[in-house]
Amino acid sequence: MKVLELKNVNKIYNSAEIKVHAVNDVTLEFEEAEFAAIVGPSGSGKTTLLNMIGGLDMPTSGEIIIGGVDLSRLRPSELIDFRLNNIGFVFQSFNLIPVLTAKENVEFIMALQKWPADKREERTLELLRAVGLEERINSRPSKLSGGQQQRVAVARALASRPKFVLADEPTANLDSKAAAILLEIMEKLNRDEKITFIFSTHDPRVMKMARRVITLEDGKVISDEGKE
């Protein structure tokens, strides 16, 4: 099942009378349960593309369609609700709420979506077990290592069963052991939950584990390779 479609997507920035084509005529499709990495040198357009897929930025032209909905046709308030209900995010800086426990951080999105309390708790405990943190559910972020914080962030991203998860350099601030553990957890969750993961990354470990690698250069897709 197709979860995401990009049609002739462009992003142009105007700076000092110079047009910068950050993303150049990108057309891609993503199916359910993919584990894909968008790679390329700095300035290739990876993060810009990921931000547009996530509705954090809008394309200059082209269409980004999620579940039959063209993001550019949504009003700002509709876009906020759509992101909340359809897209999970994992950032390199973790972005956990410092005053909330691991459990409360994971529950946060579901609370915004008005899930019943018992269903929120059941889903939260299920995910924190899956990422190996059931013993740390009442710990605040300051009491967790970087790798543990990122595992909480992954659990939070998956909590409401989004159509897909966008992970922007999720291993960038982790040591090699923590990064390896995180990647193994994300791959297992990808297979178990059938949720698509799309990474933006420089990390060769992510590229090796990804089952599809999309390479950007100067905003253009120069290769799109699937592997098993």
Side-chain angles (χ1 to χ4, degrees), residues 17-36:
E17 299 180 1
I18 298 172
K19 286 188 176 181
V20 178
H21 222 131
V23 172
N24 194 339
D25 199 33
V26 169
T27 295
L28 293 167
E29 293 182 357
F30 294 89
E31 301 288 331
E32 183 182 67
E34 285 203 52
F35 202 69

Side-chain angles (χ1 to χ4, degrees), residues 54-71:
L56 302 174
D57 198 0
M58 284 290 116
T60 305
S61 62
E63 297 175 303
I64 297 175
I65 300 167
I66 300 169
V69 176
D70 181 351
L71 297 190

Side-chain angles (χ1 to χ4, degrees), residues 124-178:
T124 297
L125 295 178
E126 172 192 354
L127 284 167
L128 286 173
R129 276 195 298 271
V131 300
L133 290 175
E134 59 187 316
E135 304 300 322
R136 305 303 301 273
I137 62 172
N138 294 315
S139 298
R140 288 191 170 85
S142 62
K143 301 298 183 183
L144 300 173
S145 69
Q148 289 171 332
Q149 288 185 63
Q150 196 62 303
R151 282 188 263 162
V152 174
V154 169
R156 180 183 60 186
L158 287 165
S160 59
R161 294 189 171 89
K163 287 187 168 62
F164 55 84
V165 171
L166 300 177
D168 188 13
E169 299 282 6
T171 58
N173 292 325
L174 304 181
D175 61 38
S176 57
K177 182 179 179 182

Side-chain angles (χ1 to χ4, degrees), residues 5-9 24-29 212 221 224:
E5 193 174 0
L6 287 77
K7 296 181 179 179
N8 306 110
V9 171
N24 194 339
D25 199 33
V26 169
T27 295
L28 293 167
E29 293 182 357
R212 178 183 179 188
V221 175
D224 184 354

